[in-house]
Amino acid sequence: MRFLPRNRMHDVFDDFFDDDFLTPHTNAMLCDVRETDHDYILNFAMPGFKKDDIKIALDNGYLTVTAEASKNDDEKNKEGKLVRQERYHGTLKRSFYVGDDYKNEDIKAAFDNGELKVTLVKEPKHEEKKNYIDIG
């Protein structure tokens, strides 16, 4: 950060936000994974996203969370010229291999206040359905 006067005012803001602590290094979807006696809990930090922006899929043993946020140009134009933009607009995707034993009913999800919470039953148990052939 520089404390010397600059010719243009927005350079002061650029220098302030160039600090490594304040500048985001990635647009990755951040996730904490917690294990309890019965469950695995995945907490995704998703500020700025709405529930309708998020899709969760289970396919071939992979749990995939996708979030898509678009830029609101109308809002930007009403509030003045955008000098610097650090919030991500676009599609984020994160996948975890959970195994072939999981089915959709083994997974619960909730979204509240910018946080997605996905809970997986620790040991999914499914009854095997046998398909018998009638003998005529």
Side-chain angles (χ1 to χ4, degrees):
M1 180 183 300
R2 290 179 227 153
F3 292 101
L4 299 174
R6 302 286 297 205
N7 291 336
R8 297 181 317 207
M9 186 61 166
H10 73 275
D11 285 345
V12 174
F13 292 108
D14 286 343
D15 291 342
F16 176 75
F17 286 110
D18 281 342
D19 187 0
D20 286 340
F21 178 76
L22 298 173
T23 304
H25 295 282
T26 181
N27 290 327
M29 190 182 306
L30 303 177
C31 179
D32 296 332
V33 180
R34 182 176 304 121
E35 179 181 8
T36 68
D37 290 340
H38 306 288
D39 302 313
Y40 293 105
I41 301 168
L42 289 76
N43 288 320
F44 294 88
M46 304 182 80
F49 287 94
K50 296 180 229 145
K51 182 180 173 181
D52 295 337
D53 297 334
I54 303 167
K55 304 282 187 257
I56 304 171
L58 180 63
D59 189 32
N60 293 326
Y62 284 90
L63 178 72
T64 303
V65 177
T66 307
E68 186 170 351
S70 59
K71 208 186 310 188
N72 188 345
D73 291 328
D74 294 335
E75 183 179 315
K76 178 179 71 174
N77 291 334
K78 289 178 187 174
E79 295 180 9
K81 180 181 172 188
L82 185 63
V83 176
R84 182 180 181 100
Q85 183 172 2
E86 293 185 349
R87 292 183 289 170
Y88 181 75
H89 298 282
T91 303
L92 300 175
K93 184 186 267 188
R94 189 82 189 264
S95 292
F96 294 89
Y97 183 75
V98 295
D100 293 325
D101 295 336
Y102 284 95
K103 298 189 188 290
N104 286 354
E105 60 265 15
D106 299 321
I107 303 169
K108 305 290 183 229
F111 184 74
D112 185 40
N113 201 23
E115 182 178 30
L116 175 66
K117 180 179 179 182
V118 180
T119 305
L120 292 87
V121 174
K122 199 168 191 179
E123 294 182 28
K125 296 177 183 172
H126 301 282
E127 294 181 22
E128 281 190 43
K129 294 180 181 178
K130 296 187 182 193
N131 295 325
Y132 293 103
I133 299 172
D134 290 334
I135 303 172

PDB file of all heavy atoms in Angstrom, residues 69-86:
ATOM      1  N   ALA A  69     -24.166 -17.449 -11.381  1.00  0.00           N
ATOM      2  CA  ALA A  69     -24.640 -16.098 -11.069  1.00  0.00           C
ATOM      3  C   ALA A  69     -24.281 -15.196 -12.236  1.00  0.00           C
ATOM      4  O   ALA A  69     -23.180 -15.259 -12.758  1.00  0.00           O
ATOM      5  CB  ALA A  69     -24.000 -15.581  -9.790  1.00  0.00           C
ATOM      6  N   SER A  70     -25.215 -14.369 -12.612  1.00  0.00           N
ATOM      7  CA  SER A  70     -24.948 -13.464 -13.725  1.00  0.00           C
ATOM      8  C   SER A  70     -24.850 -12.035 -13.215  1.00  0.00           C
ATOM      9  O   SER A  70     -25.405 -11.680 -12.189  1.00  0.00           O
ATOM     10  CB  SER A  70     -26.041 -13.578 -14.780  1.00  0.00           C
ATOM     11  OG  SER A  70     -27.292 -13.263 -14.217  1.00  0.00           O
ATOM     12  N   LYS A  71     -24.139 -11.235 -13.960  1.00  0.00           N
ATOM     13  CA  LYS A  71     -23.947  -9.834 -13.623  1.00  0.00           C
ATOM     14  C   LYS A  71     -25.247  -9.082 -13.860  1.00  0.00           C
ATOM     15  O   LYS A  71     -25.929  -9.303 -14.843  1.00  0.00           O
ATOM     16  CB  LYS A  71     -22.863  -9.255 -14.526  1.00  0.00           C
ATOM     17  CG  LYS A  71     -22.107  -8.124 -13.935  1.00  0.00           C
ATOM     18  CD  LYS A  71     -21.148  -7.492 -14.898  1.00  0.00           C
ATOM     19  CE  LYS A  71     -20.240  -8.462 -15.600  1.00  0.00           C
ATOM     20  NZ  LYS A  71     -19.198  -7.787 -16.380  1.00  0.00           N
ATOM     21  N   ASN A  72     -25.590  -8.204 -12.960  1.00  0.00           N
ATOM     22  CA  ASN A  72     -26.779  -7.378 -13.132  1.00  0.00           C
ATOM     23  C   ASN A  72     -26.343  -6.016 -13.661  1.00  0.00           C
ATOM     24  O   ASN A  72     -26.021  -5.111 -12.900  1.00  0.00           O
ATOM     25  CB  ASN A  72     -27.530  -7.249 -11.798  1.00  0.00           C
ATOM     26  CG  ASN A  72     -28.862  -6.577 -11.961  1.00  0.00           C
ATOM     27  OD1 ASN A  72     -29.142  -5.965 -12.985  1.00  0.00           O
ATOM     28  ND2 ASN A  72     -29.681  -6.679 -10.939  1.00  0.00           N
ATOM     29  N   ASP A  73     -26.320  -5.867 -14.994  1.00  0.00           N
ATOM     30  CA  ASP A  73     -25.855  -4.617 -15.610  1.00  0.00           C
ATOM     31  C   ASP A  73     -26.764  -3.437 -15.306  1.00  0.00           C
ATOM     32  O   ASP A  73     -26.305  -2.315 -15.198  1.00  0.00           O
ATOM     33  CB  ASP A  73     -25.728  -4.792 -17.128  1.00  0.00           C
ATOM     34  CG  ASP A  73     -24.579  -5.726 -17.483  1.00  0.00           C
ATOM     35  OD1 ASP A  73     -23.587  -5.742 -16.730  1.00  0.00           O
ATOM     36  OD2 ASP A  73     -24.686  -6.420 -18.505  1.00  0.00           O
ATOM     37  N   ASP A  74     -28.078  -3.687 -15.168  1.00  0.00           N
ATOM     38  CA  ASP A  74     -28.999  -2.594 -14.871  1.00  0.00           C
ATOM     39  C   ASP A  74     -28.677  -1.958 -13.523  1.00  0.00           C
ATOM     40  O   ASP A  74     -28.674  -0.748 -13.379  1.00  0.00           O
ATOM     41  CB  ASP A  74     -30.451  -3.094 -14.872  1.00  0.00           C
ATOM     42  CG  ASP A  74     -30.891  -3.542 -16.254  1.00  0.00           C
ATOM     43  OD1 ASP A  74     -30.309  -3.053 -17.246  1.00  0.00           O
ATOM     44  OD2 ASP A  74     -31.812  -4.368 -16.336  1.00  0.00           O
ATOM     45  N   GLU A  75     -28.409  -2.786 -12.535  1.00  0.00           N
ATOM     46  CA  GLU A  75     -28.083  -2.275 -11.203  1.00  0.00           C
ATOM     47  C   GLU A  75     -26.781  -1.484 -11.240  1.00  0.00           C
ATOM     48  O   GLU A  75     -26.669  -0.427 -10.644  1.00  0.00           O
ATOM     49  CB  GLU A  75     -27.953  -3.447 -10.227  1.00  0.00           C
ATOM     50  CG  GLU A  75     -27.683  -3.030  -8.802  1.00  0.00           C
ATOM     51  CD  GLU A  75     -27.596  -4.218  -7.881  1.00  0.00           C
ATOM     52  OE1 GLU A  75     -28.441  -5.113  -7.982  1.00  0.00           O
ATOM     53  OE2 GLU A  75     -26.660  -4.231  -7.066  1.00  0.00           O
ATOM     54  N   LYS A  76     -25.798  -1.981 -11.966  1.00  0.00           N
ATOM     55  CA  LYS A  76     -24.512  -1.298 -12.070  1.00  0.00           C
ATOM     56  C   LYS A  76     -24.679   0.086 -12.697  1.00  0.00           C
ATOM     57  O   LYS A  76     -24.114   1.057 -12.230  1.00  0.00           O
ATOM     58  CB  LYS A  76     -23.554  -2.152 -12.909  1.00  0.00           C
ATOM     59  CG  LYS A  76     -22.201  -1.512 -13.116  1.00  0.00           C
ATOM     60  CD  LYS A  76     -21.285  -2.386 -13.931  1.00  0.00           C
ATOM     61  CE  LYS A  76     -21.755  -2.425 -15.362  1.00  0.00           C
ATOM     62  NZ  LYS A  76     -20.844  -3.140 -16.262  1.00  0.00           N
ATOM     63  N   ASN A  77     -25.475   0.172 -13.755  1.00  0.00           N
ATOM     64  CA  ASN A  77     -25.649   1.446 -14.453  1.00  0.00           C
ATOM     65  C   ASN A  77     -26.402   2.466 -13.608  1.00  0.00           C
ATOM     66  O   ASN A  77     -26.143   3.651 -13.707  1.00  0.00           O
ATOM     67  CB  ASN A  77     -26.379   1.223 -15.786  1.00  0.00           C
ATOM     68  CG  ASN A  77     -25.503   0.474 -16.768  1.00  0.00           C
ATOM     69  OD1 ASN A  77     -24.287   0.519 -16.693  1.00  0.00           O
ATOM     70  ND2 ASN A  77     -26.135  -0.243 -17.667  1.00  0.00           N
ATOM     71  N   LYS A  78     -27.320   2.033 -12.774  1.00  0.00           N
ATOM     72  CA  LYS A  78     -28.070   2.950 -11.921  1.00  0.00           C
ATOM     73  C   LYS A  78     -27.202   3.549 -10.826  1.00  0.00           C
ATOM     74  O   LYS A  78     -27.430   4.659 -10.386  1.00  0.00           O
ATOM     75  CB  LYS A  78     -29.255   2.228 -11.278  1.00  0.00           C
ATOM     76  CG  LYS A  78     -30.356   1.885 -12.239  1.00  0.00           C
ATOM     77  CD  LYS A  78     -31.457   1.142 -11.512  1.00  0.00           C
ATOM     78  CE  LYS A  78     -32.512   0.639 -12.479  1.00  0.00           C
ATOM     79  NZ  LYS A  78     -33.502  -0.180 -11.830  1.00  0.00           N
ATOM     80  N   GLU A  79     -26.226   2.775 -10.354  1.00  0.00           N
ATOM     81  CA  GLU A  79     -25.428   3.208  -9.217  1.00  0.00           C
ATOM     82  C   GLU A  79     -24.122   3.877  -9.609  1.00  0.00           C
ATOM     83  O   GLU A  79     -23.299   4.173  -8.765  1.00  0.00           O
ATOM     84  CB  GLU A  79     -25.137   2.001  -8.324  1.00  0.00           C
ATOM     85  CG  GLU A  79     -26.397   1.443  -7.703  1.00  0.00           C
ATOM     86  CD  GLU A  79     -26.107   0.246  -6.818  1.00  0.00           C
ATOM     87  OE1 GLU A  79     -24.932  -0.044  -6.557  1.00  0.00           O
ATOM     88  OE2 GLU A  79     -27.072  -0.389  -6.407  1.00  0.00           O
ATOM     89  N   GLY A  80     -23.870   4.094 -10.884  1.00  0.00           N
ATOM     90  CA  GLY A  80     -22.652   4.772 -11.309  1.00  0.00           C
ATOM     91  C   GLY A  80     -21.677   3.832 -11.982  1.00  0.00           C
ATOM     92  O   GLY A  80     -21.929   2.651 -12.163  1.00  0.00           O
ATOM     93  N   LYS A  81     -20.539   4.378 -12.326  1.00  0.00           N
ATOM     94  CA  LYS A  81     -19.510   3.647 -13.055  1.00  0.00           C
ATOM     95  C   LYS A  81     -18.781   2.681 -12.118  1.00  0.00           C
ATOM     96  O   LYS A  81     -18.319   3.074 -11.045  1.00  0.00           O
ATOM     97  CB  LYS A  81     -18.531   4.636 -13.667  1.00  0.00           C
ATOM     98  CG  LYS A  81     -17.428   3.995 -14.448  1.00  0.00           C
ATOM     99  CD  LYS A  81     -16.500   5.057 -15.002  1.00  0.00           C
ATOM    100  CE  LYS A  81     -15.288   4.398 -15.613  1.00  0.00           C
ATOM    101  NZ  LYS A  81     -14.294   5.377 -15.996  1.00  0.00           N
ATOM    102  N   LEU A  82     -18.636   1.448 -12.547  1.00  0.00           N
ATOM    103  CA  LEU A  82     -17.915   0.442 -11.780  1.00  0.00           C
ATOM    104  C   LEU A  82     -16.422   0.646 -11.999  1.00  0.00           C
ATOM    105  O   LEU A  82     -15.937   0.585 -13.119  1.00  0.00           O
ATOM    106  CB  LEU A  82     -18.338  -0.956 -12.230  1.00  0.00           C
ATOM    107  CG  LEU A  82     -17.775  -2.131 -11.468  1.00  0.00           C
ATOM    108  CD1 LEU A  82     -18.251  -2.082 -10.017  1.00  0.00           C
ATOM    109  CD2 LEU A  82     -18.217  -3.431 -12.108  1.00  0.00           C
ATOM    110  N   VAL A  83     -15.682   0.918 -10.928  1.00  0.00           N
ATOM    111  CA  VAL A  83     -14.254   1.191 -11.013  1.00  0.00           C
ATOM    112  C   VAL A  83     -13.451  -0.088 -10.810  1.00  0.00           C
ATOM    113  O   VAL A  83     -12.435  -0.303 -11.440  1.00  0.00           O
ATOM    114  CB  VAL A  83     -13.847   2.257  -9.969  1.00  0.00           C
ATOM    115  CG1 VAL A  83     -12.355   2.474  -9.968  1.00  0.00           C
ATOM    116  CG2 VAL A  83     -14.584   3.547 -10.228  1.00  0.00           C
ATOM    117  N   ARG A  84     -13.913  -0.957  -9.942  1.00  0.00           N
ATOM    118  CA  ARG A  84     -13.220  -2.215  -9.656  1.00  0.00           C
ATOM    119  C   ARG A  84     -14.262  -3.259  -9.297  1.00  0.00           C
ATOM    120  O   ARG A  84     -15.195  -2.977  -8.564  1.00  0.00           O
ATOM    121  CB  ARG A  84     -12.250  -2.018  -8.498  1.00  0.00           C
ATOM    122  CG  ARG A  84     -11.460  -3.260  -8.163  1.00  0.00           C
ATOM    123  CD  ARG A  84     -10.512  -2.979  -7.004  1.00  0.00           C
ATOM    124  NE  ARG A  84      -9.733  -4.144  -6.669  1.00  0.00           N
ATOM    125  CZ  ARG A  84      -8.485  -4.342  -7.059  1.00  0.00           C
ATOM    126  NH1 ARG A  84      -7.870  -3.437  -7.792  1.00  0.00           N
ATOM    127  NH2 ARG A  84      -7.840  -5.431  -6.703  1.00  0.00           N
ATOM    128  N   GLN A  85     -14.069  -4.465  -9.808  1.00  0.00           N
ATOM    129  CA  GLN A  85     -15.015  -5.534  -9.509  1.00  0.00           C
ATOM    130  C   GLN A  85     -14.257  -6.750  -9.010  1.00  0.00           C
ATOM    131  O   GLN A  85     -13.385  -7.272  -9.707  1.00  0.00           O
ATOM    132  CB  GLN A  85     -15.818  -5.902 -10.745  1.00  0.00           C
ATOM    133  CG  GLN A  85     -16.849  -6.959 -10.462  1.00  0.00           C
ATOM    134  CD  GLN A  85     -17.770  -7.175 -11.644  1.00  0.00           C
ATOM    135  OE1 GLN A  85     -17.613  -6.563 -12.688  1.00  0.00           O
ATOM    136  NE2 GLN A  85     -18.736  -8.033 -11.474  1.00  0.00           N
ATOM    137  N   GLU A  86     -14.590  -7.210  -7.804  1.00  0.00           N
ATOM    138  CA  GLU A  86     -13.939  -8.373  -7.218  1.00  0.00           C
ATOM    139  C   GLU A  86     -14.903  -9.528  -7.019  1.00  0.00           C
ATOM    140  O   GLU A  86     -14.467 -10.651  -6.821  1.00  0.00           O
ATOM    141  CB  GLU A  86     -13.292  -8.007  -5.887  1.00  0.00           C
ATOM    142  CG  GLU A  86     -12.131  -7.064  -6.052  1.00  0.00           C
ATOM    143  CD  GLU A  86     -11.405  -6.782  -4.755  1.00  0.00           C
ATOM    144  OE1 GLU A  86     -11.923  -7.153  -3.681  1.00  0.00           O
ATOM    145  OE2 GLU A  86     -10.327  -6.176  -4.829  1.00  0.00           O
TER     146      GLU A  86
END
